[in-house]
């Protein structure tokens, strides 16, 4: 597949890295020669220095042969015009744009991104997606990652196995026998720096991170089984009142009105603006690195601090300081992936990488076959995928024990007729089932084949 990426920043680089590794023909456009030089020297991609929305630049990148354009520059307007030019002049079939300004995404303007107006097939809003991710983490304390699939009925949770975790040193098969009515399946394990897809004889060990796919109604019981019975936060402090911080605060006010919420915002005008929009939250003007400000926010009595500023250092250091002052838990937004490797040693309980969230949203539309959702874990080492089974799929109609799945794939749950089915050896996948599975990076192409649209389908 020929793909053009406009924007060679962190998100553009991450997408180019994934797509080039999978053998796609990737061209990257950016106005900064240093970024193009860096990306072409480290990845198997071609680079073009120039404005991503200019026709001659798109032509130089091979837009006349492109199957897809992904516009992820820092500017919404460039992303939108790049899609328009790609459509009008080069007839590029699929166009994806990152749109950050919420004014473009207001419900009353939903027709803006249509073929008749601005022909953008998919819009990705990082602030909204990251905000939703933060809210999911808040809803399920004890999980280090939470993603929903199949109309929010199936949930993938990442759970750290502590020393007193009841399920360690127990074969996964035995767990199924001990808890037959628990609709949850361990699909991936991250242990000693290595991510792998387990089989029924594998065991979890202290310090491992388990990726569990389960029925939404069984999440809290699953967390408890792994030794995590943390209570949902009743007192929350948000550091950063930008788009993400405001989105999270507004959602908490709307859906968890009993939660006591305080926001620390460094920009005075922004602090005043969000204070006018929020009903009950207390908005404080100051820095999350100011100990007096944290104490003024009653951080010593808080259950959780959520650090959502644009500065990784402020997020990390402010959250570490908050815990030392008495805050029970912290959740940190981290843009630079190099910080992720030592967050745990600093006392960071959980973190979110907005780049990873954006890339996952884009991969859903890059994947071939009936792929409905994709979420990348451990810097792209694996993906949790929701796919729809077609009549021509080799998975349909046979018991799973008779199907030799390619290595690196484990089915976690099946969504059928608004019911979540926990798979076992006797389970038969039916046409139109939505299958949620865990796939190592090397096995993703096999997943695409298993759920591809065959010519027989027509």
């Amino acid at each position: 597949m020929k793909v053009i990426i406009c924007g060679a920043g962190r998100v553009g680089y991450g997408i180019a890295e994934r797509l080039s590794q999978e053998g796609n023909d990737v061209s990257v456009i950016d106005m900064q020669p240093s970024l193009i030089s860096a990306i072409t020297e480290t990845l198997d991609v071609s680079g073009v220095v120039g404005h991503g929305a200019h026709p001659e630049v798109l032509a130089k990148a091979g837009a006349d042969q492109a199957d897809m354009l992904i516009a992820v520059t820092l500017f919404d307007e460039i992303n939108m015009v790049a899609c328009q030019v790609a459509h009008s002049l080069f007839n590029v079939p699929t166009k994806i744009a990152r749109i950050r300004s919420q004014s473009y995404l207001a419900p009353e303007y939903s027709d803006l991104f249509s073929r008749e107006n601005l022909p953008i097939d998919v819009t990705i809003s990082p602030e909204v997606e990251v905000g939703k991710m933060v809210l999911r983490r808040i809803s399920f304390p004890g999980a280090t990652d939470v993603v929903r699939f199949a109309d929010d009925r199936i949930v993938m949770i990442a759970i750290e196995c502590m020393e007193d975790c009841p399920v360690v040193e127990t074969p996964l098969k035995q767990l199924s026998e001990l808890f037959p009515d628990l609709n949850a399946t361990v699909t991936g394990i991250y242990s000693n720096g290595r991510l792998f897809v387990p089989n029924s004889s594998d065991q979890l060990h202290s310090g491992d991170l388990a990726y569990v796919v389960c029925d939404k109604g069984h999440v809290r019981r699953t967390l408890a089984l792994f030794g995590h019975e943390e209570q949902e936060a009743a007192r929350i402090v948000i550091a950063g009142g930008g788009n993400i911080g405001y989105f999270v605060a507004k959602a908490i006010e709307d859906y968890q009105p009993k939660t006591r919420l305080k926001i620390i915002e460094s920009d005075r005008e922004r602090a005043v603006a969000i204070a006018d929009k929020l009903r009950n939250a207390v908005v404080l003007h100051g820095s999350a690195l100011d100990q007096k400000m944290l104490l003024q926010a009653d951080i010593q009595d808080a259950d959780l601090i959520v650090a959502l500023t644009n500065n990784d250092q402020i997020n990390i250091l402010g959250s570490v300081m908050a815990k030392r002052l008495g805050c029970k838990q912290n959740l940190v937004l981290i843009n630079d992936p190099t910080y992720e490797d030592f967050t745990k040693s600093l006392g960071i309980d959980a973190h979110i990488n907005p780049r990873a969230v954006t890339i996952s949203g884009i991969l859903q539309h890059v994947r071939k076959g009936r792929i409905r959702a994709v979420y990348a874990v451990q810097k792209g080492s694996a993906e949790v995928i929701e796919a729809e089974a077609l009549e021509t799929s080799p998975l349909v109609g046979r018991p799973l024990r008779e199907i030799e799945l390619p290595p690196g794939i484990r089915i976690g749950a099946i969504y059928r007729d608004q019911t979540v089915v926990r798979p076992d050896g006797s389970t038969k996948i039916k046409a139109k089932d939505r299958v949620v599975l865990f796939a190592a990076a090397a096995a993703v192409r096999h997943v695409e084949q298993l759920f591809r649209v065959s010519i027989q389908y027509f």
Side-chain angles (χ1 to χ4, degrees), residues 421-444:
V421 178
R422 179 185 180 183
D424 58 31
S426 62
T427 303
K428 294 181 181 179
I429 293 175
K430 299 180 180 179
K432 297 185 179 180
D433 280 354
R434 289 154 68 173
V435 182
V436 178
L437 53 85
F438 192 93
V444 168

Side-chain angles (χ1 to χ4, degrees), residues 198-422:
N199 57 47
S200 58
S201 62
D202 284 318
Q203 302 178 12
L204 290 164
H205 305 287
S206 176
D208 287 355
L209 190 66
Y211 290 91
V212 185
V213 174
C214 60
D215 187 312
K216 178 186 176 182
H218 292 216
V219 171
R220 298 196 185 279
R221 185 182 168 199
T222 302
L223 286 167
L225 178 64
F226 277 77
H228 289 276
E229 298 187 80
E230 294 90 337
Q231 296 298 310
E232 195 166 333
R235 297 169 181 261
I236 299 175
V237 175
I238 296 176
N243 288 337
I244 300 175
Y246 173 74
F247 178 90
V248 171
K250 184 71 167 61
I252 291 174
E253 281 198 340
D254 290 343
Y255 301 108
Q256 299 174 4
K258 293 183 179 180
T259 301
R260 298 186 66 176
L261 183 64
K262 294 185 178 180
I263 303 170
I264 300 173
E265 168 54 41
S266 61
D267 183 275
R268 183 174 183 80
E269 288 187 11
R270 179 64 180 175
V272 171
I274 62 175
D276 289 339
K277 294 179 181 178
L278 296 170
R279 299 186 303 274
N280 302 315
V282 175
V283 182
L284 303 172
H285 171 232
S287 169
L289 293 181
D290 184 343
Q291 182 169 320
K292 291 182 180 178
M293 178 55 61
L294 289 171
L295 291 173
Q296 189 178 340
D298 296 323
I299 199 68
Q300 68 277 8
D301 299 321
D303 299 308
L304 174 69
I305 182 170
V306 185
L308 301 173
T309 78
N310 290 325
N311 187 302
D312 287 352
Q313 290 88 345
I314 292 176
N315 291 341
I316 294 171
L317 294 174
S319 296
V320 171
M321 189 184 301
K323 282 196 73 174
R324 292 188 177 179
L325 290 172
C327 185
K328 296 182 180 66
Q329 298 283 318
N330 55 32
L331 173 60
V332 180
L333 188 71
I334 298 178
N335 289 280
D336 190 338
T338 58
Y339 290 129
E340 295 180 17
D341 295 333
F342 54 84
T343 52
K344 188 176 179 182
S345 63
L346 290 174
I348 303 299
D349 299 305
H351 66 270
I352 293 175
N353 184 334
R355 183 186 78 154
V357 175
T358 304
I359 292 173
S360 293
I362 290 172
L363 285 176
Q364 170 185 346
H365 305 283
V366 172
R367 296 279 171 253
K368 302 180 182 70
R370 285 296 181 92
I371 307 299
R372 299 178 68 110
V374 172
Y375 184 72
V377 300
Q378 293 297 332
K379 300 178 182 177
S381 299
E383 294 177 10
V384 187
I385 299 172
E386 177 191 344
E388 181 181 346
L390 300 172
E391 293 178 4
T392 54
S393 170
L395 295 176
V396 170
R398 297 162 56 199
L400 290 179
R401 67 167 61 93
E402 296 179 9
I403 300 172
E404 193 169 333
L405 284 174
I409 296 175
R410 186 172 173 88
I411 296 175
I414 299 166
Y415 187 57
R416 175 189 301 157
D417 298 328
Q418 299 185 335
T419 301
V420 179
V421 178
R422 179 185 180 183

Side-chain angles (χ1 to χ4, degrees), residues 106-144:
E108 59 267 32
Y109 307 130
S110 59
D111 289 338
L112 176 61
F113 302 113
S114 63
R115 186 165 289 271
E116 295 77 21
N117 298 313
L118 273 172
I120 300 175
D121 301 293
V122 181
T123 59
I124 302 291
S125 174
E127 282 81 4
V128 171
E129 294 306 316
V130 171
K132 290 178 179 178
M133 179 69 71
V134 171
L135 292 168
R136 288 195 290 267
R137 298 281 187 90
I138 293 173
S139 298
F140 297 115
T144 63

Side-chain angles (χ1 to χ4, degrees), residues 160-169 205-207 223-230:
E160 184 179 358
C161 299
M162 312 302 283
E163 289 185 3
D164 57 350
C165 178
V167 300
V168 297
E169 315 301 337
H205 305 287
S206 176
L223 286 167
L225 178 64
F226 277 77
H228 289 276
E229 298 187 80
E230 294 90 337

Side-chain angles (χ1 to χ4, degrees), residues 4-16:
I4 295 176
I5 300 171
C6 297
R10 286 180 179 150
V11 172
Y13 185 98
I15 298 167

